Amino acid sequence: SMMVSTQSTGILFKDIMPIFNDPDLVRDTCQSLVDKISAFGKPDVIVGIEARGFLIGPIMAQQLKVPFVPIRKKGKLPRDCYSVKYEKEYGFDEFDMQVDALKEGDKVVIVDDLLATGGTLEAAKMLCDKIKAEVFAHCVIFELEFLKGRDKLKDPVISLVKYD
């Protein structure tokens, strides 16, 4: 089975790693997301969230022929960064994005592996907002619909696999 669930502190983790055993499946998964994005527009940039957004984001950016921009946990990126603090299921965390990573008006799609409560994607959007980039979609492989993360996000959510 592609999906493996593990319990940890009451949080359900969906494991995307088996996808990466199959290069064709990796390409096809990313291409499926790219195809769905086209219904909403053409991004100037793909923004990926550490860490699993780094696994699919650069591939999607390559397929779209656009740059990839990373959002990282606080203190990992060189040079000046915008920072945003956000609440997670188990406390607080902080994200950074380099101040020159995006330009005002850039059309952005934010990529991560999973939509749960939406806190992580919401924080990523807040960083894009600081630069006045336009987030027009959030893009994930898995969506845990019962956590209603989609309701928290103002922008369309693209997901391949939904769990209710």
Side-chain angles (χ1 to χ4, degrees):
S1 151
M2 187 172 89
M3 293 303 306
V4 183
S5 299
T6 52
Q7 287 300 119
S8 164
T9 63
I11 298 162
L12 188 70
F13 287 101
K14 297 290 183 189
D15 183 11
I16 69 166
M17 293 310 165
I19 293 171
F20 292 91
N21 294 331
D22 181 343
D24 291 336
L25 185 57
V26 174
R27 185 198 58 230
D28 293 348
T29 298
C30 292
Q31 190 62 56
S32 296
L33 289 169
V34 163
D35 292 345
K36 286 176 179 282
I37 288 170
S38 66
F40 297 93
K42 169 104 164 71
D44 299 309
V45 182
I46 293 288
V47 169
I49 299 175
E50 183 173 3
R52 286 178 295 248
F54 292 2
L55 294 173
I56 57 172
I59 297 169
M60 292 170 62
Q62 201 171 44
Q63 289 170 337
L64 285 158
K65 296 180 172 44
V66 299
F68 173 79
V69 166
I71 286 180
R72 297 210 62 184
K73 293 189 172 69
K74 179 134 199 75
K76 303 274 180 115
L77 287 169
R79 306 201 316 275
D80 290 342
C81 291
Y82 289 117
S83 206
V84 66
K85 193 171 182 179
Y86 67 102
E87 197 168 358
K88 297 189 75 162
E89 291 84 347
Y90 44 88
F92 285 90
D93 214 339
E94 219 164 330
F95 273 155
D96 285 350
M97 179 196 273
Q98 289 172 325
V99 296
D100 58 358
L102 298 173
K103 295 186 296 297
E104 185 174 335
D106 272 350
K107 292 182 173 53
V108 172
V109 172
I110 300 172
V111 175
D112 206 356
D113 64 323
L114 176 77
L115 170 58
T117 63
T120 307
L121 287 163
E122 186 184 42
K125 181 184 164 55
M126 286 162 65
L127 278 175
C128 295
D129 286 348
K130 285 178 189 248
I131 305 179
K132 297 186 173 65
E134 294 171 33
V135 174
F136 71 87
H138 298 274
C139 205
V140 297
I141 299 176
F142 303 118
E143 180 178 1
L144 306 182
E145 290 188 308
F146 57 89
L147 291 175
K148 307 225 183 308
R150 187 180 281 260
D151 297 347
K152 181 181 285 194
L153 303 168
K154 312 278 183 288
D155 308 287
V157 173
I158 296 162
S159 60
L160 293 182
V161 183
K162 296 173 175 59
Y163 294 89
D164 52 15

